[in-house]
Amino acid sequence: MISLTPSHIIEYLFCPRFTYFEYVLGIPQYEEKHFKVIKGREVHDLKLERNKEYLRKKIGVKEKWVDQYLTNESLRGKIDEVLLLDDNTMAPLDYKFAEYKDRIFETYKQQLICYALLIERNFGREVNRGYLVYVRSKNKLLEVQISDSDKQMIKETIEKISWIMEQNHYPKATKYKRRCLNCTYRNICTQ
């Protein structure tokens, strides 16, 4: 089976054709050039370095592991912080170079769910929530609930992506046509 990252999952859920164009045909999307991506990575690295010893007692953190690269049979990813909580469950924490605007983006939640699966597999502990830190909103900390159905949805998505990649399958485009307006692949995608 193919080893996927949370980015693969997020791109597929945005539009299944992302998977086809980037990973079957090998046409890159060149996200590296975007200012916010570059700046976000710089701030992210700085935050990890500064917060190495800091335990978030307010949310019940007993122990943490920083900058963890984890894998399982079908998924891999680097988690900013893996937290062991007072109730002996664990949780991923991810820094976002973003402002909080009264809603959590679905892509952020999807990323946390992927991390939850990795933590459960590698640490053998239950994960039922994750945390986001919004760097551009004075490091606002938000809790995100993660259900068993959320985890199942990600597992099913992994199977669908693997099938596209292994079978060279050209999937249907997203049903949300507004997503096509700024898509990297809009000029080559046949709607």
Side-chain angles (χ1 to χ4, degrees), residues 86-125:
D86 286 339
D87 63 2
N88 286 319
T89 64
M90 297 187 94
L93 180 140
D94 197 49
Y95 291 97
K96 294 297 179 192
F97 181 64
E99 289 180 51
Y100 178 66
K101 296 185 177 176
D102 299 321
R103 70 182 269 252
I104 295 171
F105 289 118
E106 199 58 31
T107 54
Y108 293 174
K109 182 174 181 178
Q110 293 159 356
Q111 185 177 17
L112 288 175
I113 299 165
C114 290
Y115 292 161
L117 291 170
L118 288 169
I119 291 168
E120 287 182 343
R121 179 72 167 97
N122 285 272
F123 286 86
R125 292 191 187 249

Side-chain angles (χ1 to χ4, degrees), residues 163-181:
W163 192 77
I164 290 170
M165 293 168 81
E166 290 166 357
Q167 301 299 316
N168 295 327
H169 175 72
Y170 188 59
K172 289 183 179 179
T174 180
K175 60 183 176 184
Y176 305 105
K177 296 304 174 197
R178 291 186 69 213
R179 293 179 179 177
C180 301
L181 296 175

Side-chain angles (χ1 to χ4, degrees), residues 40-179:
R41 287 183 184 150
E42 290 171 3
V43 170
H44 171 269
D45 291 344
L46 188 62
K47 278 282 172 202
L48 286 178
E49 191 56 40
R50 285 185 181 163
N51 291 332
K52 273 192 175 154
E53 305 304 318
Y54 177 64
L55 288 180
R56 297 171 187 277
K57 302 279 189 197
K58 187 170 97 175
I59 59 172
V61 177
K62 294 195 305 189
E63 196 173 345
K64 76 174 178 178
W65 294 262
V66 176
D67 218 14
Q68 292 294 294
Y69 181 78
L70 302 177
T71 64
N72 67 20
E73 300 78 25
S74 57
L75 195 57
R76 60 190 155 85
K78 195 173 203 178
I79 306 170
D80 292 346
E81 294 181 14
V82 175
L83 309 175
L84 175 61
L85 304 172
D86 286 339
D87 63 2
N88 286 319
T89 64
M90 297 187 94
L93 180 140
D94 197 49
Y95 291 97
K96 294 297 179 192
F97 181 64
E99 289 180 51
Y100 178 66
K101 296 185 177 176
D102 299 321
R103 70 182 269 252
I104 295 171
F105 289 118
E106 199 58 31
T107 54
Y108 293 174
K109 182 174 181 178
Q110 293 159 356
Q111 185 177 17
L112 288 175
I113 299 165
C114 290
Y115 292 161
L117 291 170
L118 288 169
I119 291 168
E120 287 182 343
R121 179 72 167 97
N122 285 272
F123 286 86
R125 292 191 187 249
E126 181 186 359
V127 176
N128 56 29
R129 63 191 174 276
Y131 295 93
L132 296 169
V133 175
Y134 287 83
V135 173
R136 294 175 63 202
S137 290
K138 299 179 182 172
N139 296 315
K140 182 174 183 66
L141 176 73
L142 288 176
E143 182 176 296
V144 178
Q145 293 300 308
I146 298 172
S147 69
D148 288 340
S149 63
D150 291 331
K151 294 174 201 171
Q152 186 58 39
M153 184 271 299
I154 293 296
K155 289 175 185 176
E156 289 168 6
T157 300
I158 289 169
E159 289 175 15
K160 291 174 186 174
I161 293 169
S162 296
W163 192 77
I164 290 170
M165 293 168 81
E166 290 166 357
Q167 301 299 316
N168 295 327
H169 175 72
Y170 188 59
K172 289 183 179 179
T174 180
K175 60 183 176 184
Y176 305 105
K177 296 304 174 197
R178 291 186 69 213
R179 293 179 179 177

